[in-house]
Amino acid sequence: MPEKHKKAFHRQFGEPLATATMIALLVITGAITLRNLGRLWNDSLEVGRSYDVISAVAAIEYSLTQWYDSQRAFFATGDEEKLAPYRIAEANLGIQLQTLAKISAEDRIYDRRIETLSSLVKRLSEETSQQIATVQENGKQTSVEEAERAANLQTDIANELSGLRSLAQNNAMLQQEESVVSYQIARYTTLISTLAGLALVGGVMLAVYRRRVEAERDAMKVDRESKLRQSTLDALAKYVIVCDRNHSVVTVNEALLNLFGIRREEVVGKKI
């Protein structure tokens, strides 16, 4: 294939195809990057939510400790002033359980454990309130059976809290691992997008440079050919006028200029 045809083919098909490929690559990698950035954002929210659950569990455990210590002190002494921390802890537990449910509302994996925990805390509260009322009314200590029921409920609550903490920790670890993968994918696709963008910009600049070089080369070629034709006409002894289709003078030879004593610029472009 002649060089001229190669250049024409490259200009007509090669450059548009390369440009379309780079644009498609930019669009695809951009979409993948945005998708993974969205996943990274969601993973970060999940990790934050998991740590909020862990913090809420720790707060509930602290309130339960205050609750247990206060009621044991009351059962041991019968002093109702010892119940003040119990009342405060009981009120805090209700708020903390609501906060825990609100934190995990968007993540259903905690639902069953939170429902079970709330039910156990409610049963323990009712059992403890009944025991306190019995001591207050009769001055009697709680029975072994009642104490065992309360101890079993406390154990079940501790197990549920431990399970809830482990579930939150595992979920946080899983989301962190997924966020690392999403980050790596986003980083590499961003790198590919950057390289594709640079390649596209470089290709456009190269094409513009080539066009300019070709235009300058063609202009120089036309100028050389024009000067060659003009020198050929000037070498003729006969008088020559070159016109276009509109009968406008394109050029004249030197013999005609000498005949009339005029300059070439005075007749070029004039109508005959």
Side-chain angles (χ1 to χ4, degrees):
M1 182 184 294
E3 186 66 23
K4 183 178 180 181
H5 292 170
K6 286 183 179 180
K7 289 182 179 180
F9 179 83
H10 178 71
R11 183 180 301 173
Q12 187 174 0
F13 298 104
E15 291 180 358
L17 180 61
T19 302
T21 301
M22 289 296 102
I23 292 174
L25 184 60
L26 281 171
V27 171
I28 293 172
T29 53
I32 294 174
T33 300
L34 288 177
R35 177 174 176 270
N36 282 280
L37 287 176
R39 290 179 59 184
L40 186 62
W41 174 256
N42 291 331
D43 290 339
S44 65
L45 291 179
E46 286 291 335
V47 171
R49 189 178 298 117
S50 297
Y51 282 112
D52 287 342
V53 170
I54 294 172
S55 298
V57 167
I60 291 173
E61 288 176 334
Y62 177 78
S63 295
L64 285 172
T65 300
Q66 298 295 106
W67 192 14
Y68 299 154
D69 291 343
S70 177
Q71 71 184 32
R72 279 196 295 266
F74 169 72
F75 290 146
T77 63
D79 184 2
E80 293 195 9
E81 292 184 358
K82 302 293 185 181
L83 289 176
Y86 165 81
R87 303 298 184 193
I88 296 173
E90 187 176 35
N92 289 338
L93 276 172
I95 297 173
Q96 289 162 352
L97 286 171
Q98 290 178 359
T99 301
L100 179 61
K102 185 177 180 180
I103 291 171
S104 58
E106 298 181 7
D107 200 335
R108 315 306 299 180
I109 63 174
Y110 302 109
D111 280 357
R112 186 188 63 80
R113 287 194 175 276
I114 292 176
E115 290 175 1
T116 303
L117 176 63
S118 298
S119 176
L120 290 172
V121 171
K122 182 179 179 181
R123 287 170 56 192
L124 180 61
S125 178
E126 293 172 351
E127 185 74 25
T128 304
S129 296
Q130 185 177 354
Q131 293 175 7
I132 291 173
T134 299
V135 173
Q136 289 173 331
E137 291 174 3
N138 304 322
K140 297 180 180 180
Q141 294 294 325
T142 57
S143 65
V144 175
E145 181 181 353
E146 290 174 335
E148 287 180 352
R149 283 202 305 269
N152 289 336
L153 286 171
Q154 291 176 8
T155 301
D156 291 341
I157 289 173
N159 290 336
E160 286 299 324
L161 288 171
S162 177
L164 197 57
R165 180 189 289 105
S166 297
L167 185 60
Q169 289 173 340
N170 291 336
N171 188 51
M173 186 178 300
L174 177 63
Q175 295 301 328
Q176 285 174 335
E177 292 175 354
E178 291 182 358
S179 66
V180 170
V181 174
S182 298
Y183 169 75
Q184 294 292 345
I185 294 175
R187 187 177 70 171
Y188 288 127
T189 51
T190 301
L191 177 61
I192 293 173
S193 297
T194 302
L195 293 176
L198 291 174
L200 181 60
V201 172
V204 170
M205 293 179 65
L206 180 61
V208 170
Y209 174 75
R210 285 178 175 174
R211 294 286 192 280
R212 188 178 69 180
V213 170
E214 290 177 3
E216 291 176 353
R217 187 185 300 118
D218 292 341
M220 291 175 62
K221 182 179 179 181
V222 170
D223 186 58
R224 284 197 303 270
E225 291 176 353
S226 177
K227 289 180 178 179
L228 179 61
R229 285 195 299 269
Q230 188 64 49
S231 62
T232 302
L233 292 175
D234 290 342
L236 298 175
K238 295 183 178 181
Y239 309 123
V240 179
I241 300 178
V242 180
C243 300
D244 60 14
R245 293 181 180 180
N246 297 321
H247 306 290
S248 296
V249 176
V250 176
T251 186
V252 296
N253 68 342
E254 193 71 24
L256 187 61
L257 294 176
N258 293 333
L259 175 65
F260 293 102
I262 57 177
R263 293 179 301 170
R264 183 174 286 108
E265 292 79 6
E266 296 177 5
V267 294
V268 171
K270 300 291 185 178
K271 293 282 188 178
I272 296 180

